[in-house]
Amino acid sequence: VQLQASGGGLVQVGDSLRLSCLASGRTAYHMGWFRQAPGKEREFVTAISRTGGSTEYIEAVKGRFTISRDNAKNTVYLVINSLKPEDTAVYYCAATTRGFGTRSYDYWGQGTQVTVSS
């Protein structure tokens, strides 16, 4: 599977963004979004099951981030509301062949930069 993330950009504090991840090839995977801020390790942010019936978020983004998927379009979305400077990072989408809830992902997109300016 190949993953292509898009939708990042330079935004202001309080703005919203929608990131997209287009998957090609076999797409029946649980999907996740990770982010890597400058000088920090990449961290898990959120995931959605292959059917879209289950989601999970890290505590820091609950209430502001929403993950969803449209399997007919082979696309996973991440809506980020009320953006904060600490959301500045490269956001990666990923797919896993393992069970939902894992942090081990097998396929990665190239990342999309989100920069939040105050």
Side-chain angles (χ1 to χ4, degrees):
V1 61
Q2 292 184 323
L3 305 174
Q4 184 173 357
S6 62
L10 174 62
V11 297
Q12 301 292 316
V13 169
D15 284 351
S16 297
L17 270 181
R18 187 179 77 164
L19 307 183
S20 300
C21 177
L22 176 64
S24 60
R26 183 182 175 188
T27 58
Y29 296 109
H30 303 312
M31 299 291 294
W33 286 94
F34 291 70
R35 67 183 178 184
Q36 186 167 19
K40 296 187 177 181
E41 293 187 353
R42 186 165 58 190
E43 66 169 346
F44 168 83
V45 176
T46 179
I48 188 166
S49 62
R50 59 174 61 91
T51 65
S54 298
T55 59
E56 64 170 329
Y57 301 88
I58 59 172
E59 199 63 36
V61 306
K62 283 182 180 178
R64 295 193 301 120
F65 286 33
T66 302
I67 189 171
S68 62
R69 67 191 297 162
D70 184 339
N71 286 340
K73 295 182 179 180
N74 294 335
T75 302
V76 175
Y77 303 100
L78 179 62
V79 173
I80 309 174
N81 294 316
S82 303
L83 277 152
K84 303 176 180 181
E86 52 264 41
D87 295 322
T88 294
V90 178
Y91 285 73
Y92 298 90
C93 62
T96 182
T97 60
R98 296 165 176 79
F100 184 69
T102 185
R103 297 294 184 264
S104 296
Y105 281 69
D106 304 288
Y107 304 101
W108 294 85
Q110 83 287 6
T112 185
Q113 176 72 49
V114 173
T115 303
V116 184
S117 173
S118 57

